Each structure stands twice: as structure tokens, then as C-alpha cells.
Amino acid sequence: EALTSLSGIDSSIKFLQRYASLLDVNAYSRRRRYSTVDIEEQLQRILKDSPLLTYGATTIAYKIQGKSFNVRLVEDSFKIIIENLVINSSYWLDKMQIKDPRITFSLDAELGKLTIFDNGLGIDKSVENHLFQEFVTNKPDNDGRGMGLYIVTTLLNEVGATIELDSERNVFNNLYKFVITFPEEGD
């Protein structure tokens, strides 16, 4: 049991070291490269042939819908944001053995919003109110560290964007839609 604990601690340390530079504003800002990109093209690039859309024995389909728009962002950060959200969906879609698992990326050009949701059970009510804080996880047995959505929030804040849970509940009466709102061009 001690070895299992040490292995978990070692894994957590490696994870935290990997993301420490992302959260270190001073180190990160020196190499930050902003660009204005078409959001749909960016999503296609990240998701095409992504190994993250397979978890365990589950392969997840995805759909991008709506009208695309341009956003100013840091491409590497945006990739991490999308990958973190996909990893969470893939994990739960596999764990809950959801039939025909899929993730939807819905674009709203008029409001500058990207809404991401899957057809799984949604967010457990025990964590829905503090999901974006660090070290909040509902994953069992050290499967998660509770840093993914905190990192997503931090990276989005750096470009003036926000993420929140939409108030709509799914058929399981859980919140399930993540809404990213980008600042208007010129802000």
C-alpha cells in the first residue's frame, strides 16, 4: 500500500511540474504568442485523429455545429483547454459505459461562445458549484487530481475569456454544458 501511495504522489508531482509553467504568469508570458484564429478550424485541428477521443475500450464521436468566428488566443493554451475538456468527457463516457458516446462543440458567432457537452450523466451535484477550483474532482481512486478545469479557467482568463456551467440540466437532472465566452474583438 505504501508503494501505491508513493506512486500516486510521484505521478501528482510530475503532473504539477508539467503545468506549473503554465500557471507561472511571469515565465509563461515571455513566450506567449497570441494569434487570431478561426475557432472551428482550430477545433478541427485539435480533434482530428486525437488519441484523447479513445478511453479504455470507448471511442467517442464528436460534432462541431453552429457558425464559426475568429478569436484571439494562444494556440498552445487553447489546445490544452480543449484537451482537458475532452479528457474529462472521455473518462466519464467510458466509466459510465454510455451508449454511442459523443461530444458536441456548439459555436455561437453572435455571442462569441463555444459550448461543449457530451451525452453522459453530466456533472455530479456534489461538485457542480465549485468545479473550477483547484483540487476539486469527483473521480475515484486517485484517477484525477482536480487540476484540469482549474488550469482551463486560468488559461482562458489570460486571454480575457471565461468558462462556466450553463444552467440547463440534462435528462439526469445534472448540469452538463460548459460555456466558454470569448471577449469581443477589440476589447
Side-chain angles (χ1 to χ4, degrees):
E1 192 165 314
L3 284 177
T4 305
S5 294
L6 286 175
S7 174
I9 290 167
D10 185 53
S11 173
S12 292
I13 288 170
K14 285 178 181 155
F15 173 87
L16 291 171
Q17 284 173 333
R18 183 173 150 208
Y19 286 107
S21 66
L22 292 174
L23 301 177
D24 179 358
V25 177
N26 296 327
Y28 187 61
S29 63
R30 283 195 293 273
R31 64 178 192 276
R32 186 183 300 159
R33 290 200 177 79
Y34 287 97
S35 52
T36 300
V37 298
D38 178 286
I39 193 87
E40 184 174 1
E41 285 177 16
Q42 201 66 20
L43 284 169
Q44 293 282 13
R45 191 174 301 125
I46 294 166
L47 297 169
K48 185 180 178 341
D49 304 321
S50 173
L52 302 176
L53 290 164
T54 301
Y55 195 98
T58 304
T59 299
I60 293 102
Y62 70 90
K63 174 171 70 170
I64 301 173
Q65 63 188 24
K67 187 173 184 284
S68 191
F69 53 96
N70 288 337
V71 292
R72 186 171 178 268
L73 48 73
V74 179
E75 288 184 50
D76 289 344
S77 295
F78 187 68
K79 183 173 196 250
I80 290 166
I81 290 162
I82 296 304
E83 286 178 346
N84 269 304
L85 292 165
V86 168
I87 287 167
N88 283 344
S89 280
S90 298
Y91 174 89
W92 287 109
L93 290 167
D94 177 69
K95 194 91 161 161
M96 297 300 158
Q97 300 177 333
I98 302 298
K99 187 174 170 17
D100 301 320
R102 69 184 174 282
I103 302 173
T104 302
F105 298 84
S106 184
L107 303 167
D108 184 334
E110 202 170 297
L111 297 176
K113 292 182 186 281
L114 165 61
T115 302
I116 303 166
F117 58 95
D118 61 44
N119 63 331
L121 300 181
I123 307 302
D124 190 274
K125 287 180 183 67
S126 69
V127 295
E128 72 181 25
N129 292 321
H130 51 280
L131 191 62
F132 300 104
Q133 296 171 10
E134 64 269 47
F135 308 117
V136 173
T137 185
N138 202 38
K139 293 178 181 171
D141 306 324
N142 295 319
D143 277 356
R145 294 172 184 85
M147 289 299 289
L149 291 174
Y150 174 72
I151 289 167
V152 163
T153 303
T154 302
L155 294 175
L156 284 169
N157 288 342
E158 286 187 350
V159 295
T162 60
I163 185 167
E164 62 187 354
L165 283 173
D166 188 86
S167 61
E168 180 184 335
R169 294 194 179 266
N170 63 12
V171 295
F172 304 102
N173 197 31
N174 289 320
L175 300 177
Y176 71 109
K177 288 184 172 180
F178 290 88
V179 181
I180 296 173
T181 305
F182 294 94
E184 287 183 46
E185 292 290 318
D187 275 10

